[in-house]
Amino acid sequence: MKKRSADITALPGQDYSADRQFIASLHKGLGVLRNLAHVNRPLGNKEISELTGFPKATVSRITYTLARLGYLRYLPDTGKYVLGLPVLGLGYACLAGLNIAEAAKPLMQELADEANAMVALGSRDEFSMLYVAERHSSGPVSLQLRAGSRISMARSSMGRAYLAGLPERERKPLFDALAEHTGARWPRYRDQIDTAIAEIAEHGFCCNFGDWYPEVNSVGVPYVPRDGSPVMAFNCGAPNFIISRRKAREEIGPRLVAMVAKLGRA
């Protein structure tokens, strides 16, 4: 089995000044793109500076460069920026390279129809989980989330399953960064995450009853590729009148574990 490489994703609060391979300016440029993607509205240099913590002069150079390359589009009427089409191209290229997403879709649809719920596959995006594939049941009630949606890593079953799937050497620095990011809420989140990790160790899945969103229940399962690719996670969720606590534990959880195991064998 091929050994997975360490997660080198830059985390807030970590000092990379001693890493001679780390390009700080590239980190800042990607930070600007990430914040524009998160807020999903036009931003000016001053707003971007406030969001990222980067000096306004630095932000101005970054946005100018990204706009010249097409990754940002400048709006002269407002003096603000939005993401350019080449960013969309990068996203589609990334999704096209995720063989697991295409292989999983038929199985995800089958489970979504049987559970009358939504099934999704996600990967980490800073402190969130980014949906890269999703399937909905044909029923009249469904969660309105699509590929490209982001949900909390600390509060969702998908995020907690992802954390459970990480090796300890990668989980610890991410916990440290999450603690800084969430502040006073972290002790409660950490207890919930530890409970989810224990559930996955015992049953293969974790349950979330209203922690991510009131009246929504869900189940999460980690996906750890055998080829050394990054850890991902699946979830299955619906309003609690569709997925009860009993149904989550006795039906959805075991079904989702079996689905992920089948994908792992494939």
Side-chain angles (χ1 to χ4, degrees), residues 34-171:
R34 179 179 286 115
N35 276 275
L36 276 161
H38 280 190
V39 300
N40 196 28
R41 61 180 174 82
L43 293 176
N45 287 333
K46 183 175 183 295
E47 294 170 294
I48 296 172
S49 176
E50 292 171 351
L51 283 171
T52 61
F54 305 150
K56 187 178 177 182
T58 300
V59 170
S60 297
R61 292 195 298 272
I62 290 172
T63 54
Y64 172 81
T65 302
L66 291 172
R68 286 293 302 271
L69 295 172
Y71 291 100
L72 293 182
R73 184 162 58 89
Y74 180 67
L75 306 177
D77 292 343
T78 61
K80 297 185 177 184
Y81 295 89
V82 294
L83 294 177
L85 289 178
V87 176
L88 183 63
L90 289 175
Y92 281 131
C94 177
L95 289 176
L98 287 175
N99 293 331
I100 178 60
E102 289 305 312
K105 284 177 181 178
L107 298 176
M108 292 167 64
Q109 188 65 62
E110 180 181 350
L111 178 56
D113 289 337
E114 291 183 2
N116 194 24
M118 186 190 76
V119 180
L121 169 66
S123 63
R124 176 191 165 200
D125 180 14
E126 199 172 17
F127 300 123
S128 302
M129 298 302 295
L130 175 69
Y131 277 22
V132 299
E134 39 72 31
R135 285 294 181 264
H136 296 257
S137 74
S138 57
V141 179
S142 180
L143 301 179
Q144 298 304 305
L145 294 168
R146 302 291 177 186
S149 297
R150 290 175 175 82
I151 60 175
S152 167
M153 178 186 292
R155 294 188 294 110
S156 67
S157 62
M158 176 182 282
R160 294 170 185 174
Y162 166 81
L163 290 166
L166 291 177
E168 182 61 29
R169 69 178 183 277
E170 297 179 26
R171 190 189 302 152

Side-chain angles (χ1 to χ4, degrees), residues 19 23 53 91 200 207 263:
D19 188 346
I23 304 175
I200 288 171
C207 294
L263 287 167

Side-chain angles (χ1 to χ4, degrees), residues 22 36 89 121 143-144 159 162 175 202 229 234 238 260:
F22 189 82
L36 276 161
L121 169 66
L143 301 179
Q144 298 304 305
Y162 166 81
F175 274 0
E202 183 175 357
S229 300
F234 287 88
V260 174

